[in-house]
Amino acid sequence: METLQKLTPQSSLQSTLFAGERSGLFFEGTRLVVALKPRWVLIENVPGLFSSANGRDFETVIRTLEDLGYGVAWRVLDSQHFGVPQRRRRVFVVGY
């Protein structure tokens, strides 16, 4: 069986990403990461992730990936700089 190279769990809304104690979509994505052990994980979200729960939700994303053994890098990118005629900022977090 070939190793899974990339997994991209994502949600655009922080409230659905971290809804309730360990019941949000982020934790379901984490369960898949643990089960499938992809080489790369790419998470996309809105910049509000930085302020969600006073920054604790973003910290949870970073810490969870680190706890799973991934190095982590993140960046905010805006679609207007990639040939799209609109401003659409997104946070991209990469586990490698």
Side-chain angles (χ1 to χ4, degrees):
M1 176 186 267
E2 187 175 325
T3 302
L4 182 66
Q5 295 295 310
K6 179 181 71 167
L7 184 65
T8 58
Q10 57 189 354
S11 171
S12 295
L13 302 172
Q14 311 83 274
S15 60
T16 60
L17 187 68
F18 293 97
E21 176 136 351
R22 301 193 68 86
S23 64
L25 293 176
F26 174 74
F27 298 107
E28 185 62 21
T30 299
R31 185 187 69 75
L32 291 171
V33 170
V34 169
L36 300 173
K37 298 176 179 64
R39 185 173 179 185
W40 298 85
V41 178
L42 175 63
I43 297 170
E44 174 265 333
N45 209 294
V46 296
L49 178 61
F50 295 130
S51 58
S52 178
N54 293 318
R56 289 188 306 274
D57 287 345
F58 182 67
E59 179 183 352
T60 297
V61 170
I62 302 301
R63 185 166 297 171
T64 299
L65 289 173
E66 290 174 342
D67 289 349
L68 292 174
Y70 289 95
V72 180
W74 62 271
R75 175 86 33 128
V76 176
L77 300 175
D78 191 329
S79 63
Q80 70 181 339
H81 302 297
F82 297 92
V84 178
Q86 66 179 349
R87 181 171 187 202
R88 191 175 186 114
R89 296 175 60 219
R90 292 292 182 263
V91 176
F92 290 89
V93 180
V94 177
Y96 57 92

